[in-house]
């Protein structure tokens, strides 16, 4: 089976604190892989290293065959890894459509400032490409009614979908989702799961961190569980639900059924 | 409320008014003031990219303006080359300074970046003031030759006026095209959320340097124009006060728009003159106006009238 993402003995220390400790896992191509663990177990730190927000202290990260360890975020993004954030990071003074166009900037509009100014025809073409691509994704995620709205005026649930839409503009192979369902109510969560599955079916592999078990257990092909920065279990949802180590980490020792 | 289509009409009206002004009024004083406003507009168009859109404070613009002015003045008075050739050197200098000033902005934020740019501006002014043999020190540079265009020396107020108007319209067009393009979007994106810019596959460092470079080239060219417009320059013009005025133009006029820079430059260069009847109080009245504008309309005057398509927030579910 081909791997899209391989992490080898990944370690991150912040001063004396070991946030991620010798973590290794492999994510298969065409799969939905979840990383779960209690608060402070190092999940977001792991995503931040994969996406290049900061370099790991030790270990290596491979995207397909490419070693992306310590690469800059924008380069990793152009290779085909997009992400969303736990606390939504959108361009709040801009409209939904403009946000999406920034998302497609590097893939669809690579011309520099000077060539942009000197060649209005090419500039027009680039803008049209961005327009078409953003309309496609807006239609796919059913955002038509808010496409021209300024992001700051939208409710939280919509912002989550807009951020996802922006990430899709770079047409990634792998999408990292940091707590995509956090803060959504059950009906919004169900809607969001549908959207995620649609994205997956369009050919994009998903790697997610999530706290809501209904989301994780329903859509994951494989789950990696970490606690205090180390891997404690890995497998499909059924085996994870019955794993004593996992129950201990989440609920406490006394809940283990023997 | 105005949409972008309306603003095009406003530009057309403004350009016609500017073209017609010397025909209606033969008050050379106002024509001189407007010439200066045109030069300031070019600086404001550039500064708008950094301070208005990307959100990086730059209080060193007078330093860049000064380098542009002195480069052109010294080259034309000492080596007697054409002001046009000097302009190429000015553009090159602007380019280099923009990159050099852009780099600190990658590491420094807020107050620290402001301090760095203030220091830069003052270093330039002190150097110019003290390198007496080379720059003439506090005496300045005299007898700077005017530009020549199609065999005409731009030595009368009227010729200068139309020349500067044409150049300003050209730079206004460039600025307009950048603002309403993918670059304008990315500049604003950096102000809104810089982390997200990198995850979109765009190097935020590179974009910041582009913004600084554009601003520096605009300011340096405006400096060159200033030297040949006034024929005499000295270091006392290029103070921190001037840098602050440039920021006032962009922010009070209306950040992120060409129209805002136009309005801001006109206000800053002409309003103090209009308020002169107040005698000793004119500066305080001017700065009280700035104070009030900043508090009540932080995005600037023009943005109060510009239509931003804003639909009401959707009702929350449940």
């Amino acid at each position: 089976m081909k791997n899209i993402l391989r992490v080898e003995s990944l370690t991150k220390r912040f001063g004396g604190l070991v946030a991620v400790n010798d973590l290794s896992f492999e994510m298969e191509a065409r799969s939905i892989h979840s990383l779960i663990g209690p608060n402070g177990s190092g999940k977001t730190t792991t995503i931040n290293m994969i996406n290049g927000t900061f370099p790991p202290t030790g270990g290596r990260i491979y995207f397909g065959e490419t070693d992306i360890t310590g690469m800059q975020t924008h380069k990793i993004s152009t290779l085909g890894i997009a992400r969303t954030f736990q606390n939504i990071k959108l361009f709040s003074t801009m409209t939904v459509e403009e946000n999406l166009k920034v998302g497609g900037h590097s893939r669809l509009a690579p011309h520099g400032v000077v060539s942009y100014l000197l060649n209005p025809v090419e500039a027009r073409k680039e803008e049209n490409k961005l327009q078409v691509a953003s309309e496609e994704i807006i239609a796919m995620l059913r955002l038509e009614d808010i496409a021209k709205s300024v992001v700051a005026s939208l409710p939280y649930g919509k912002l989550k979908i807009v951020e996802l839409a922006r990430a899709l503009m770079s047409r990634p192979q792998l999408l990292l989702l940091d707590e995509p369902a956090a803060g959504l109510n059950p009906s919004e969560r169900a809607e969001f799961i549908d959207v995620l599955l649609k994205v997956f079916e369009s050919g994009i592999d998903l790697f997610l961190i999530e706290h809501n078990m209904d989301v994780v257990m329903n859509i994951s092909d494989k789950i990696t569980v970490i606690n205090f920065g180390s891997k404690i279990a890995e497998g499909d949802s059924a085996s994870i639900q019955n794993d004593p180590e996992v129950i201990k980490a989440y609920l406490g020792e006394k809940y283990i059924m023997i | 409320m105005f949409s972008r289509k309306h603003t095009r009409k406003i530009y057309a009206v403004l350009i016609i008014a500017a073209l017609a002004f010397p025909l209606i009024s033969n008050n050379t004083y106002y024509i001189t003031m407007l010439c200066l406003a045109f030069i300031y507009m070019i600086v404001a168009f550039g500064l708008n990219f950094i301070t208005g859109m990307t959100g990086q404070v730059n209080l060193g613009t007078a330093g860049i303006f000064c380098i542009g002015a002195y480069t052109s003045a010294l080259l034309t008075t000492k080596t007697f080359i054409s002001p046009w050739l000097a302009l190429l050197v000015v553009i090159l200098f602007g380019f280099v300074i923009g990159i050099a000033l852009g780099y600190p902005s990658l590491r420094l934020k807020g107050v620290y970046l402001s301090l760095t740019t203030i220091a830069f501006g003052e270093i330039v002014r002190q150097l110019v003031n003290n390198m007496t043999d080379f720059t003439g020190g506090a005496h300045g540079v005299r007898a700077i030759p005017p530009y020549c265009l199609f065999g005409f020396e731009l030595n009368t107020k009227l010729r200068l006026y139309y020349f500067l108007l044409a150049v300003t319209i050209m730079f206004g067009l460039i600025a307009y095209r950048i603002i309403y393009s993918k670059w304008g979007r990315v500049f604003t994106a950096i102000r809104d959320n810089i982390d997200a810019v990198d995850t979109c596959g765009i190097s935020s460092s590179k974009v910041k340097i582009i913004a600084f470079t554009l601003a520096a080239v605009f300011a340096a060219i405006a400096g060159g124009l200033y030297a040949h417009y006034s024929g005499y320059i000295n270091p006392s013009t290029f103070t921190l006060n001037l840098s602050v005025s440039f920021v006032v133009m962009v922010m009070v006029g209306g950040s992120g728009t060409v129209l805002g820079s136009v309005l801001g430059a006109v206000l800053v260069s002409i309003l103090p003159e209009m308020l002169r009847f107040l005698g000793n109080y004119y500066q305080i009245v001017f700065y009280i106006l700035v104070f009030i504008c900043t508090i009540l309309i932080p995005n600037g005057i023009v943005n109060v009238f510009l239509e931003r398509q804003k639909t009401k927030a959707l009702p929350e579910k449940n």
Side-chain angles (χ1 to χ4, degrees):
Chain A
M1 197 67 76
K2 220 178 130 230
N3 289 328
I4 186 154
L5 184 69
R6 191 166 91 243
V7 165
E8 281 176 6
S9 351
L10 201 62
T11 301
K12 183 70 191 178
R13 286 191 203 93
F14 294 108
L17 177 83
V18 184
V20 174
N21 186 17
D22 198 25
L23 176 67
S24 301
F25 64 82
E26 287 174 10
M27 176 181 170
E28 282 168 17
R30 293 316 297 138
S31 74
I32 300 179
H33 192 129
S34 293
L35 182 67
I36 65 170
N39 281 326
S41 57
K43 304 184 296 294
T44 298
T45 308
T46 306
I47 272 202
N48 281 344
M49 286 189 280
I50 297 173
N51 136 280
T53 308
F54 40 65
T57 316
R60 311 229 57 94
I61 305 161
Y62 297 90
F63 174 53
E65 297 301 314
T66 321
D67 186 347
I68 57 165
T69 321
M71 232 184 234
Q72 283 171 306
T73 304
H74 65 93
K75 289 205 180 113
I76 290 177
S77 168
T78 44
L79 283 178
I81 302 183
R83 83 171 278 185
T84 64
F85 295 88
Q86 188 176 352
N87 45 349
I88 301 165
K89 293 191 177 184
L90 283 166
F91 309 125
S92 55
T93 65
M94 297 159 62
T95 65
V96 169
E97 198 178 72
E98 286 167 340
N99 267 272
L100 263 63
K101 284 178 178 174
V102 175
H105 180 99
S106 71
R107 178 172 69 93
L108 297 168
H111 280 272
V113 177
V114 177
S115 69
Y116 176 87
L117 285 171
L118 295 179
N119 193 344
V121 178
E122 194 59 35
R124 196 70 250 151
K125 267 190 209 159
E126 280 187 348
E127 191 60 30
N128 285 341
K129 271 195 228 161
L130 284 170
Q131 186 67 36
V132 169
S134 66
E135 275 167 11
E136 247 169 49
I137 287 177
I138 283 170
M140 173 181 164
L141 300 186
R142 295 200 204 94
L143 295 168
E144 292 97 338
D145 51 334
I146 56 166
K148 306 276 184 202
S149 305
V150 172
V151 161
S153 68
L154 298 173
Y156 187 81
K158 289 284 175 195
L159 297 182
K160 285 265 176 190
I161 299 180
V162 173
E163 202 190 22
L164 178 71
R166 187 185 64 193
L168 295 180
M169 281 296 286
S170 63
R171 205 170 285 168
Q173 282 171 267
L174 172 64
L175 182 56
L176 312 172
L177 299 144
D178 193 351
E179 304 216 16
L184 300 182
N185 64 39
S187 71
E188 284 174 326
R189 269 213 303 274
E191 197 185 320
F192 203 88
I193 290 175
D194 283 345
V195 170
L196 285 184
L197 290 173
K198 213 195 273 180
V199 169
F200 179 70
E201 277 156 24
S202 78
I204 297 165
D205 297 344
L206 305 179
F207 180 84
L208 60 147
I209 292 179
E210 191 47 73
H211 268 306
N212 290 291
M213 287 306 149
D214 54 337
V215 177
V216 175
M217 297 303 168
N218 281 331
I219 68 172
S220 307
D221 296 309
K222 193 164 157 191
I223 301 169
T224 303
V225 190
I226 60 173
N227 195 17
F228 298 113
S230 305
K231 182 156 90 175
I232 57 171
E234 193 166 68
D236 60 14
S237 51
S239 72
I240 290 296
Q241 274 165 338
N242 298 317
D243 190 294
E245 277 296 321
V246 176
I247 296 168
K248 198 170 95 185
Y250 267 93
L251 300 171
E253 209 144 351
K254 64 181 173 180
Y255 287 94
I256 300 175
M257 308 290 181
I258 305 164
Chain B
M1 287 297 164
F2 300 112
S3 69
R4 256 182 79 186
K5 273 186 189 147
H6 288 113
T7 62
R8 284 192 192 154
K9 283 180 194 153
I10 297 173
Y11 289 122
V13 170
L14 281 179
I15 291 171
I16 292 168
L19 283 170
F21 184 77
L23 307 175
I24 301 161
S25 159
N26 46 12
N27 185 336
T28 43
Y29 178 65
Y30 280 125
I31 290 178
T32 313
M33 291 313 301
L34 277 173
C35 285
L36 192 62
F38 291 152
I39 292 170
Y40 285 169
M41 274 173 213
I42 297 171
V43 182
F45 292 154
L47 187 62
N48 181 42
F49 298 131
I50 330 179
T51 304
M53 305 182 80
T54 318
Q56 315 286 311
V57 184
N58 184 347
L59 288 167
T61 314
I64 306 167
F65 191 64
C66 178
I67 291 176
Y70 268 88
T71 306
S72 204
L74 291 173
L75 277 173
T76 47
T77 53
K78 296 207 170 186
T79 67
F80 304 106
I81 65 168
S82 137
W84 293 109
L85 207 57
L87 190 64
L88 289 180
V89 183
V90 166
I91 293 171
L92 183 74
F93 275 29
F95 193 75
V96 174
I97 298 162
I99 290 171
L101 262 186
Y103 268 100
S105 80
L106 306 181
R107 303 260 164 208
L108 302 169
K109 280 187 187 128
V111 175
Y112 301 99
L113 182 62
S114 311
L115 279 178
T116 326
T117 53
I118 289 173
F120 166 79
E122 279 304 291
I123 290 167
V124 170
R125 196 173 66 88
Q126 294 298 337
L127 281 177
V128 167
N129 207 2
N130 291 306
M131 287 161 62
T132 321
D133 294 338
F134 184 54
T135 62
H139 295 297
V141 184
R142 277 164 215 286
I144 305 165
Y147 285 103
C148 271
L149 197 64
F150 309 124
F152 289 106
E153 282 211 331
L154 299 171
N155 51 3
T156 68
K157 288 287 172 227
L158 217 55
R159 285 178 187 172
L160 252 178
Y161 177 89
Y162 283 112
F163 167 68
L164 288 173
L165 178 62
V167 176
T168 307
I169 290 172
M170 194 183 86
F171 277 92
L173 262 174
I174 295 175
Y176 186 88
R177 282 203 55 208
I178 293 176
I179 289 171
Y180 297 105
S181 75
K182 54 174 188 165
W183 294 106
R185 276 197 300 267
V186 174
F187 289 157
T188 315
I190 286 202
R191 182 191 61 199
D192 282 0
N193 203 320
I194 188 164
D195 299 333
V197 171
D198 281 294
T199 56
C200 287
I202 304 161
S203 164
S204 59
S205 313
K206 202 169 144 193
V207 175
K208 270 189 187 175
I209 288 177
I210 289 174
F212 268 90
T213 309
L214 278 171
V217 169
F218 276 48
I221 291 173
L225 294 171
Y226 175 78
H228 298 280
Y229 145 82
S230 84
Y232 166 69
I233 52 171
N234 75 54
S236 68
T237 311
F238 310 99
T239 56
L240 177 58
N241 209 343
L242 184 64
S243 293
V244 174
S245 294
F246 290 139
V247 175
V248 170
M249 287 175 209
V250 172
M251 299 312 286
V252 172
S255 59
T257 63
V258 171
L259 208 52
S261 302
V262 170
L263 181 67
V266 171
L267 282 182
V268 170
S269 50
I270 291 173
L271 195 60
E273 303 301 325
M274 297 259 198
L275 296 174
R276 247 183 223 289
F277 70 91
L278 296 167
N280 292 334
Y281 295 100
Y282 86 94
Q283 276 228 327
I284 192 169
V285 171
F286 177 72
Y287 279 105
I288 287 173
L289 289 177
V290 171
F291 187 83
I292 293 170
C293 278
T294 313
I295 290 171
L296 296 181
I297 38 173
N299 288 327
I301 298 166
V302 165
N303 285 315
V304 175
F305 301 101
L306 274 186
E307 183 183 40
R308 191 89 175 98
Q309 282 165 315
K310 224 179 243 182
T311 47
K312 277 179 203 144
L314 298 173
E316 293 277 351
K317 281 179 190 166
N318 300 341

